[in-house]
């Protein structure tokens, strides 16, 4: 990809329109509960401000239907101010006279956060008029919001077409380098771990990885559709009947290609997700139980395969990790990846629930890269074109 790096832009005295992904979780009182995404945007913002740019930030927050008071981005501006060590302005409008005045008042090295871009329905529709109003606020465009790059929205795609001087921020560039590198030039043996609830969420990824990975590990709820396709009893475990044909095809393809697919050989089961106190380790799932985590032997086998990898991609937990009784498989896989990374493997954590699990376990710092984009990272790994990335490419 011929994408201009941020370091190539002349920033001094210029209005730099920056799309960040500061879509952070809030509690009922409006307090930020996890500012990982805010901290991830700081290197790009510091570079712009240190070089005398006038940073005008755009982000979404949640999924509002019009103006939604509890989804205003003022808490994000306050947290950015703390991290940057300087006041970050905030305007209760994304475009229009108030936003224009606030932008006009910016001095070199100052920063302003516009209101939640999704308060305007033109954002998700990639409305040309809304994109033009946004573009009029800046002279240069920087996209550092990898987590939204798979969406062709006004602030991620439409506005970029209107500002010919455009570049990728440091976070965006890092995401592209790691994820593309893992696919195009993996170090050593490529081991891919897929988990999460549904096969249907990862059809494209599974098709891609069975071709390029040396080994594919499948856990989480999606594993039970694979096991059912082989005729194994899965009790009340999650099953997607309409995907049985697909998983049979994948298993046949893996055999034809000589690729290794590892599936759980034992399980942690309970009558329901809420009955963690009665969880049992079993080799075969009884009729009245559901598999909610991988068992002890599965963890050992998965960890052994991870230990042989030179490059590791992980997307999706091994069980219902939010509940302690069903978190052991995810914990074991995370520690195995951290240990492999310590021995020199390249490890990439695919965002979303997987990143949340790694952060909760305190292991993020032991991974090579924890992606900020769940859907975006998966689509890039599948080989799809991301609108927010392709629009940055130079002609």
């Amino acid at each position: 990809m011929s994408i201009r790096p941020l370091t190539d832009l002349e920033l001094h005295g210029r209005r730099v329109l920056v799309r960040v992904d500061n879509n952070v979780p809030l509690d009922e009182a409006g307090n930020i509960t996890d500012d990982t995404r805010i901290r991830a945007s700081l290197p790009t913002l510091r570079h712009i401000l240190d070089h005398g740019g006038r940073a005008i930030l755009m982000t979404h927050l949640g999924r509002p239907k019009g103006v939604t008071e509890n989804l205003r981005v003022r808490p994000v501006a306050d947290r950015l101010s703390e991290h940057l060590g300087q006041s970050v302005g905030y305007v209760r409008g994304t475009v229009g006279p108030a936003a224009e005045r606030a932008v006009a008042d910016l001095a070199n090295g100052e920063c302003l956060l516009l209101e939640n871009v999704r308060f305007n329905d033109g954002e998700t529709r990639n409305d040309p008029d809304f994109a033009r109003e946004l573009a009029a606020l800046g002279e240069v465009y920087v996209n550092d919001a990898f987590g939204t790059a798979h969406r062709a929205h006004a602030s991620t795609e439409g506005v970029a077409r209107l500002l010919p001087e455009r570049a990728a921020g440091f976070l965006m560039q890092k995401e592209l380098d790691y994820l593309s590198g893992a696919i195009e030039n993996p170090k050593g043996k490529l081991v891919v771990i897929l988990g999460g609830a549904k096969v249907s969420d990862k059809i494209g990824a599974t098709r891609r990885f069975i071709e390029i990975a040396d080994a594919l590990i499948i856990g989480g709820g999606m594993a039970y559709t694979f096991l059912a396709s082989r005729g194994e009893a899965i009790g009340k475990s999650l099953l997607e009947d309409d995907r049985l044909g697909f998983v049979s095809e994948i298993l046949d393809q893996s055999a034809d290609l000589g690729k290794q697919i590892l599936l759980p050989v034992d399980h942690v089961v309970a009558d329901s997700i809420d009955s963690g106190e009665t969880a049992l380790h079993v080799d075969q799932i009884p009729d009245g139980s559901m598999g909610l985590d991988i068992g002890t032997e599965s963890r050992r086998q998965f960890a052994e395969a991870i230990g042989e990898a030179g490059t590791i991609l992980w997307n999706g937990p091994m069980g219902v990790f939010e509940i302690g009784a069903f978190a052991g498989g995810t914990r074991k896989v995370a520690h195995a990846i951290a240990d492999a990374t310590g021995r020199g493997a390249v490890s990439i954590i695919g965002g979303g629930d997987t990143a949340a699990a790694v952060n909760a376990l305190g292991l993020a710092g032991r991974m090579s890269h924890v992606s900020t984009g769940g859907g975006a990272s998966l689509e890039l790994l599948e080989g799809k074109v991301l609108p927010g990335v392709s629009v940055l490419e130079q002609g």
Side-chain angles (χ1 to χ4, degrees):
M1 294 182 187
S2 55
I3 295 175
R4 193 173 185 181
L6 176 60
T7 50
D8 275 7
L9 292 179
E10 175 56 50
L11 300 169
H12 187 79
R14 306 186 77 190
R15 291 175 284 115
V16 187
L17 197 59
V18 190
R19 182 50 158 102
V20 292
D21 181 8
N22 286 173
N23 181 30
V24 292
L26 304 173
D27 63 20
E28 292 182 0
N31 300 308
I32 295 171
T33 58
D34 182 353
D35 68 356
T36 300
R37 287 177 172 170
I38 291 175
R39 288 184 282 109
S41 69
L42 296 176
T44 289
L45 302 186
R46 288 192 177 113
H47 178 85
I48 293 168
L49 300 176
D50 289 348
H51 286 78
R54 304 176 183 187
I56 304 148
L57 312 184
M58 305 175 290
T59 189
H60 72 285
L61 186 60
R63 296 182 178 180
K65 301 296 183 184
V67 175
T68 308
E69 290 301 321
N70 64 352
L71 290 177
R72 291 192 180 275
V73 297
R74 181 58 185 263
V76 175
D78 292 342
R79 186 62 61 89
L80 280 167
S81 299
E82 294 173 18
H83 284 304
L84 290 171
Q86 68 180 74
S87 177
V88 173
Y90 160 70
V91 59
R92 287 169 64 93
T94 312
V95 294
E100 291 165 8
R101 286 193 299 271
V103 168
D105 288 342
L106 279 177
N108 295 350
E110 290 186 343
C111 188
L112 169 72
L113 178 63
L114 302 175
E115 186 54 275
N116 191 334
V117 291
R118 289 190 181 171
F119 282 3
N120 189 309
D121 65 2
E123 164 66 3
T124 55
R125 290 188 293 106
N126 198 6
D127 179 70
D129 292 333
F130 183 51
R132 276 192 290 271
E133 289 186 90
L134 288 172
L137 299 175
E139 301 167 84
V140 177
Y141 176 75
V142 174
N143 193 340
D144 208 31
F146 178 74
T148 66
H150 58 316
R151 307 297 187 200
H153 290 173
S155 66
T156 61
E157 202 269 351
V159 71
R161 295 190 180 279
L162 301 171
L163 291 173
E165 272 198 83
R166 51 187 182 263
F170 293 140
L171 175 61
M172 175 71 82
Q173 194 64 60
K174 181 182 179 186
E175 294 272 15
L176 296 175
D177 289 346
Y178 267 103
L179 294 168
S180 298
I183 293 297
E184 296 166 8
N185 188 30
K187 173 185 176 182
K189 184 178 181 180
L190 174 59
V191 173
V192 175
I193 308 148
L194 295 178
K198 296 182 178 181
V199 172
S200 53
D201 292 337
K202 296 184 170 69
I203 287 177
T206 307
R207 286 192 189 281
R208 185 90 188 276
F209 292 141
I210 200 63
E211 294 178 353
I212 64 174
D214 294 288
L216 185 59
I217 296 172
I218 297 176
M222 65 182 292
Y224 297 106
T225 299
F226 276 84
L227 294 174
S229 76
R230 299 197 312 193
E232 296 189 27
I234 63 168
K236 299 190 301 180
S237 305
L238 183 63
L239 171 65
E240 292 180 274
D241 287 302
D242 59 339
R243 302 302 179 190
L244 287 169
F246 166 73
V247 300
S248 294
E249 174 191 333
I250 290 296
L251 292 171
D252 289 344
Q253 187 179 359
S254 69
D256 292 342
L257 295 173
K259 298 295 182 71
Q260 181 184 27
I261 290 186
L262 279 76
L263 292 165
V265 296
D266 59 344
H267 318 271
V268 179
V269 303
D271 293 341
S272 72
I273 290 177
D274 299 323
S275 53
E277 68 279 359
T278 59
L280 297 172
H281 282 255
V282 296
D283 293 332
Q284 296 182 336
I285 302 174
D287 285 344
S289 297
M290 59 176 62
L292 295 165
D293 193 13
I294 59 173
T296 305
E297 178 59 19
S298 302
R299 298 172 195 178
R300 187 195 68 77
Q301 291 183 12
F302 288 9
E304 182 178 344
I306 291 165
E308 297 173 355
T311 302
I312 305 159
L313 292 172
W314 181 23
N315 191 296
M318 297 292 99
V320 187
F321 75 94
E322 300 90 346
I323 299 173
F326 312 123
T330 299
R331 185 184 307 113
K332 178 68 173 181
V333 164
H335 278 280
I337 295 172
D339 291 345
T341 308
R343 295 191 296 268
V346 175
S347 57
I348 300 166
I349 310 304
D353 288 341
T354 324
V358 168
N359 283 322
L361 291 167
L363 294 174
R366 295 179 59 192
M367 308 297 179
S368 302
H369 179 61
V370 179
S371 179
T372 57
S377 62
L378 201 57
E379 289 195 18
L380 183 67
L381 292 169
E382 288 175 20
K384 292 182 178 179
V385 174
L386 306 187
V389 173
S390 62
V391 75
L392 297 176
E393 294 187 42
Q394 304 296 308

